[in-house]
Amino acid sequence: MKSMRNVFPGCSVVAILVICSQAWAMEFAFKDTMLSFQALRTISATAGGGADIGECLTTLDRVKKDDMESWHQEWCKAAVQRERTGDEFLSEGHTLSAGQEYLRASSYYRTAEFFLHTNPKDDRIVKTWRKSRDCFLKFAKLAEHPIIPVEIPFDQVRLPAYLCLADGSGAKRPLIIMHSGFDGTAEELYYNRAVFAIKRGYHCLLFEGPGQGGVIRELNIPFRPNWETVVSPVVAFALKRKEVDPDGIALMGISLGGYLAPRAVAFEHRIRACIANGGVYDLHAAIVKPDVEKALDDPEECKEIDIGAKKMMEADLATRWALGHAMLTFHADSPSEWMRMTRAYAMKDVASKITCHMLVVDSEGDRYLPGQAVKLYKALQCPKDFMLFTKEEGAGEHCQFGALRISNERILNWLDTKMKVPETKSSANR
């Protein structure tokens, strides 16, 4: 039997930390780069109205070092303050201000819930997530453009989604279908992505699929690699809406969505353009080293892997969150089982089937799955473009957190060209 040094630690840095959106980030607010990234992620929402810098900095200052209970409590405190202020504004008839407060409350509740996943059995996961969703629903009722909560038929259940319309005219417009990745929510997609697209005249359909948001938390449905089975019902739903231009549908996948979205369009050809931010070619090969591969098929070796994983989870926050969240969202009973599950998440046999316009996005400082975006881009045989965001422009972090205006401007410029959408006055002046 191989020693633990050869089996688990040999893949730990890659398999456990790299996949998740917290390790390797720039040092910001905390010495711990995992905490720094999540702090940056929340503050980034300021660009789309989902945060305010002073509120975030004050909250982060109250978080005690290496105390994730403190993280939860302080972000909940910030969220409650914003929600209560929203209620006060609403009672006074200040609907616009109330909506802005509810949107930030939704964002802060999402942040408060994040590290609870170090213990997948924590009943506050669902409770706190619901508060985030419910505050967003309060915001949606008051938004300046229509935001319609909808349910999309999928297998024997319905997927939660938001249809965000550029206006209430009923005119047909291009539609961007958006989904997140490993740990995002539909509500976060709104203030980080959709709000910018709506200003350009796009309708947006934000949905959560297996393993994501309410689908894993309430419906208990885990991730699946054949994402086309998820996206096709979403496209069918969209095509029934009178506001949607059937020849102008795009798909955007964020983070792990950089695998999920390309996988979907390899089989779903009603989509005109696809954006993978960032691109993922082979998840399993990126997180498991070749010398560990055989060990995953040996029950005795897997026991060693799982023992080592447990020890690392006890000692390291990043590993504790990553494995806790992975096992929760994939329905894996152990770290080794989760690693085996990732074998199916590869584009090798399907990349050549994609026919739509593809934009593969990469970030210079994104070291979670290094080289994956380039591999995906090279494997594509369809019309394609590669977009690199750099550290110099301040957009080099995972999914360009910290520079969401730069990110959305460049990505949407690309999409405008492919969809032949003229620049509107509002987008030119924003």
Side-chain angles (χ1 to χ4, degrees):
M1 181 182 296
K2 296 180 181 179
S3 69
M4 279 307 305
R5 182 178 300 276
N6 291 330
V7 177
F8 188 75
C11 67
S12 63
V13 173
V14 179
I16 306 305
L17 303 182
V18 167
I19 186 176
C20 307
S21 55
Q22 74 282 341
W24 300 109
M26 68 171 72
E27 186 178 306
F28 171 76
F30 298 94
K31 291 289 185 182
D32 186 298
T33 54
M34 177 184 192
L35 293 174
S36 288
F37 184 85
Q38 293 307 321
L40 179 66
R41 178 176 179 173
T42 299
I43 290 180
S44 294
T46 299
D52 208 355
I53 295 173
E55 291 172 354
C56 292
L57 293 178
T58 300
T59 302
L60 291 167
D61 190 55
R62 296 197 304 263
V63 174
K64 298 176 183 178
K65 181 182 179 181
D66 300 325
D67 184 351
M68 291 303 93
E69 188 63 29
S70 172
W71 175 281
H72 174 73
Q73 292 174 355
E74 296 303 334
W75 281 109
C76 274
K77 184 184 298 184
V80 168
Q81 289 174 342
R82 302 279 57 81
E83 185 178 9
R84 287 177 178 172
T85 302
D87 290 343
E88 291 174 6
F89 285 160
L90 186 60
S91 68
E92 296 167 356
H94 303 301
T95 57
L96 179 60
S97 294
Q100 293 171 343
E101 294 290 322
Y102 291 139
L103 185 60
R104 300 206 307 283
S106 175
S107 173
Y108 298 159
Y109 277 127
R110 183 208 65 79
T111 304
E113 188 254 11
F114 187 84
F115 285 112
L116 295 180
H117 292 218
T118 56
N119 175 16
K121 296 182 180 179
D122 194 327
D123 62 4
R124 294 176 298 175
I125 291 174
V126 174
K127 291 178 181 178
T128 310
W129 167 80
R130 281 178 179 158
K131 289 180 179 179
S132 176
R133 179 200 59 189
D134 291 347
C135 282
F136 186 85
L137 289 172
K138 289 182 179 181
F139 158 74
K141 292 180 180 179
L142 304 173
E144 295 178 275
H145 61 89
I147 300 178
I148 307 168
V150 296
E151 294 182 332
I152 300 172
F154 169 73
D155 288 349
Q156 303 302 312
V157 300
R158 292 178 177 272
L159 302 179
Y162 301 105
L163 179 61
C164 307
L165 302 178
D167 57 45
S169 69
K172 290 186 182 295
R173 295 181 182 273
L175 173 76
I176 308 176
I177 297 173
M178 299 183 183
H179 61 74
S180 191
F182 190 50
D183 56 75
T185 64
E187 295 78 23
E188 185 184 22
L189 280 174
Y190 174 82
Y191 48 76
N192 283 351
R193 298 289 166 184
V195 68
F196 300 96
I198 290 165
K199 289 180 180 180
R200 295 187 180 226
Y202 290 97
H203 297 321
C204 294
L205 180 58
L206 321 178
F207 82 92
E208 293 171 338
Q212 301 174 328
V215 181
I216 188 64
R217 290 168 177 83
E218 291 190 323
L219 301 179
N220 200 33
I221 301 175
F223 274 114
R224 58 171 62 183
N226 54 340
W227 203 248
E228 68 277 7
T229 64
V230 182
V231 168
S232 286
V234 177
V235 173
F237 173 88
L239 289 173
K240 294 178 181 179
R241 299 291 307 199
K242 64 179 182 179
E243 308 93 340
V244 174
D245 176 0
D247 297 320
I249 297 178
L251 177 66
M252 178 185 295
I254 307 296
S255 194
L256 182 59
Y259 159 78
L260 301 172
R263 165 74 196 211
V265 296
F267 300 93
E268 174 50 74
H269 297 298
R270 292 173 290 183
I271 293 171
R272 184 171 171 182
C274 178
I275 299 160
N277 184 8
V280 180
Y281 178 69
D282 190 328
L283 178 62
H284 182 75
I287 66 175
V288 178
K289 290 186 175 181
D291 60 345
V292 181
E293 189 64 39
K294 290 183 179 180
L296 290 176
D297 294 316
D298 185 319
E300 293 303 316
E301 297 279 23
C302 284
K303 289 181 182 178
E304 293 293 313
I305 291 175
D306 295 334
I307 290 171
K310 183 178 180 180
K311 290 180 179 179
M312 286 190 67
M313 291 175 73
E314 292 172 351
D316 179 70
L317 173 63
T319 307
R320 190 159 61 251
W321 181 87
L323 286 179
H325 184 76
M327 290 188 288
L328 170 69
T329 56
F330 279 70
H331 279 186
D333 292 329
S334 66
S336 60
E337 182 181 13
W338 169 63
M339 292 181 195
R340 287 194 298 275
M341 285 179 171
T342 63
R343 285 171 171 165
Y345 292 73
M347 292 295 296
K348 179 180 178 180
D349 297 326
V350 298
S352 62
K353 300 179 184 295
I354 298 175
T355 58
C356 69
H357 290 280
M358 279 290 307
L359 175 63
V360 180
V361 180
D362 200 3
S363 303
E364 186 180 20
D366 188 340
R367 288 175 282 180
Y368 311 125
L369 297 170
Q372 284 292 305
V374 173
K375 289 181 179 179
L376 175 61
Y377 177 75
K378 290 182 177 179
L380 296 172
Q381 299 176 22
C382 58
K384 60 183 180 178
D385 290 288
F386 187 84
M387 185 177 291
L388 177 66
F389 288 91
T390 66
K391 296 178 182 178
E392 183 177 3
E393 62 187 329
E397 291 294 323
H398 181 62
C399 295
Q400 305 87 55
F401 280 115
L404 291 184
R405 286 189 179 277
I406 294 173
S407 174
N408 283 291
E409 284 169 358
R410 287 177 56 187
I411 290 173
L412 291 173
N413 285 347
W414 178 89
L415 189 60
D416 286 350
T417 301
K418 300 307 175 187
M419 307 286 273
K420 293 182 172 54
V421 174
E423 187 175 78
T424 63
K425 181 178 180 180
S426 63
S427 67
N429 293 337
R430 77 183 183 285

